[in-house]
Structures are given as structure tokens and as C-alpha cells.
Amino acid sequence: MKTPFKIWDPSKGIQLGPITLHFYSLMFVFAFGFGYIVMTRIFKIDNVNQKYLEPLFTWTLIGTILGARLGHVIFYQPELFKEDFWSVFLPISTKNGLKFTGFSGLASHGATIALIFTTLYYSFKIIKKNPFWVYDRLGIVVALGGTFVRMGNFFNSEIVGKPADPNSPFALLFPQQSSEYGLTVPRYPSQLFEAIGYILLFILLWVLYRKTDKKYQQGWLFGLFFIILWAIRFFVEFLKEPQGDEFIQIGGLNTGQVLSIPFMIAGVIIMIISKKFRITQAENEKPE
């Protein structure tokens, strides 16, 4: 292809004999792997017994994968419940024969909702701390994980941006998406915009956690995380192509933007009420 534009057309994975290790799957491994390392460090800083780390990892994994998948289907592809029910819960397709497909749709809104509930269980039944204490720390890890997930989207050339001005320094060609979006035209790399926003959010939260006493004001870091994360999502959506059927649209806003607004409002409320849940350093450490 002869073009003055930059082209993004990478291989989708690493070939290991008959098996292909997809970069998207690898990014998910990185998200949970580095998240585990960061949370291990956090538990050490807070002097919390490491035995509480494994169940947090397990419940976070369950909430993220199940919630993200159900969120995508409910918000963007509800027809799958009738047309290909098992593909909602399993990485397969039963239409036109049984075949392995992997999960081709995951929604961050769904993952967030599911994580809220799985973390509530973990907080009350396992570590026995205020859920906001857990959310404050989990938000740091999720911001980092979101960076890797959006990098995986970039490797897959999915969740692409809208057509860009040919003179824009961000104009990029995604030839792998020509079958879905038609003629290949320069587009915004919206996945990278989100990834950069999330890594900056991770750095901000980590600095506030380490250098200030905000981790003792339970809910403050989590509220800030909610506001900034969903604000990033809200504004980047202006540059994104629609994901599936945009059946939730209000005032020109698409589904992703409409769903982000309640989370941002919740973040503001949580930051306001967090002053009621301030604890001391001694109370912060888990007694045996």
C-alpha cells in the first residue's frame, strides 16, 4: 500500500508452534501480573497480612472477566442472548458450527459494576475492612491494568477512532479493520489516547497514595479515580467509532459517554463523604 500516512498493521500474536499467543491475551496477563505485583507492594506498605492478597486477586479476576463480558453483551450486543447464548459466557461460537473465538467484546462499564460487588464480598467476608479501603487501593491497580487492556486493543486494531484530518499528526491507517469499517482511511488511535490517560492516572494515584495521607481518608482516592477515569473515557469517546449498536443515546452522547456520567457523579459524592471515614495509621493496619 503506497500512502503518505503511517500504517498500523502488526501481527496479532506470537506463533508458538500450532498455537498463537495473541498480544491482546498477553496484555491481559500483564494487566493482572503487574497488578498483583503492585498490590503486593501496597499490602506491605500498609502492613497487611499477605494471606489476604490471593482471595483479592481471585475475586478481582472473576469480577473483571465476567462483568466485562456481560457488560459488553448487555450494552452493545444483547442479540447474542438469543442468537448465540453460549458465546456470552464461553470463548466459543455455536453459529454455523462450534468454533473457538476467544472473547471478542469486553466492556469496562460492566467490569466496574461487577468489581464493585465482588469487592464488597471480599471486604465484608474476607479482609473485614471498610470497602472504601479496598476500593482506594484497587483503583490504583485498575488504572494500570486499563493501560495494558487498551494497548491490547491497539494491537488488535479494534475500538478504532473516527476518521482523522489527513494533516493531523495522529492520523493512522488500520488496514486490519477495512472489512468492518470499509475503505481504509486515516483514523485517530483512540486506544493509545486512553492508554496514556490511564497510565498518567496510575502515576497520580500512586504518588498521592505514597506521598500524602489521603490513603487514611477512606474513599478519597477511589472517588478521584472514578472522576478522572470516566472523564478520560467520556472525552475520548468523541474520537471513537461506535461499538456495536448504540441504543443508549442522549443529547448527542453515545452509550459509552452516557454510562460514564453516573460513575463521575458517584466519584464526586464519594470524595465528599470520604471525610467521614478517616482512620489513623494504626487503624489502617490489619490486626491479627
Side-chain angles (χ1 to χ4, degrees), residues 49-267:
N49 194 311
Q50 296 290 307
K51 71 180 183 181
Y52 296 107
L53 188 60
E54 294 293 341
L56 176 61
F57 178 82
T58 300
W59 283 105
T60 299
L61 180 63
I62 293 172
T64 299
I65 301 300
L66 184 60
R69 181 56 181 162
L70 283 174
H72 174 83
V73 175
I74 292 171
F75 297 136
Y76 298 103
Q77 281 188 290
E79 68 276 5
L80 283 182
F81 284 113
K82 287 185 177 181
E83 296 177 1
D84 196 3
F85 180 78
W86 291 111
S87 72
V88 174
F89 303 97
L90 301 173
I92 62 172
S93 173
T94 56
K95 294 177 67 175
N96 303 319
L98 182 65
K99 61 181 178 180
F100 178 82
T101 59
F103 288 130
S104 58
L106 299 171
S108 54
H109 297 92
T112 300
I113 294 171
L115 273 175
I116 288 173
F117 287 105
T118 56
T119 304
L120 281 175
Y121 176 83
Y122 170 81
S123 301
F124 288 123
K125 296 295 185 179
I126 299 175
I127 198 170
K128 294 182 172 59
K129 279 183 173 290
N130 186 320
F132 283 137
W133 184 95
V134 183
Y135 291 139
D136 283 341
R137 289 145 183 81
L138 194 59
I140 299 172
V141 173
V142 169
L144 178 61
T147 303
F148 286 111
V149 171
R150 283 299 178 250
M151 288 298 298
N153 296 139
F154 185 62
F155 275 112
N156 270 7
S157 295
E158 61 190 5
I159 313 183
V160 297
K162 293 178 179 178
D165 184 325
N167 297 316
S168 170
F170 301 112
L172 194 63
L173 294 177
F174 294 91
Q176 292 181 6
Q177 286 295 336
S178 58
S179 60
E180 182 173 351
Y181 294 104
L183 180 67
T184 300
V185 297
R187 296 179 178 277
Y188 290 107
S190 56
Q191 317 97 321
L192 293 184
F193 295 160
E194 275 194 74
I196 292 171
Y198 295 158
I199 193 64
L200 291 176
L201 174 58
F202 164 73
I203 294 171
L204 173 64
L205 292 173
W206 180 255
V207 170
L208 290 172
Y209 168 76
R210 293 291 285 127
K211 302 298 184 181
T212 73
D213 64 352
K214 289 302 181 183
K215 65 180 178 181
Y216 301 130
Q217 188 172 327
Q218 299 175 111
W220 194 92
L221 288 173
F222 180 58
L224 182 66
F225 160 76
F226 250 30
I227 294 170
I228 298 179
L229 180 93
W230 297 111
I232 292 170
R233 176 67 186 270
F234 181 89
F235 288 110
V236 173
E237 284 291 326
F238 284 113
L239 301 177
K240 279 185 187 178
E241 285 286 0
Q243 300 175 54
D245 294 327
E246 296 283 350
F247 65 92
I248 302 177
Q249 291 181 311
I250 300 175
L253 302 179
N254 64 25
T255 301
Q257 291 171 314
V258 173
L259 294 174
S260 296
I261 293 173
F263 289 117
M264 287 189 283
I265 295 173

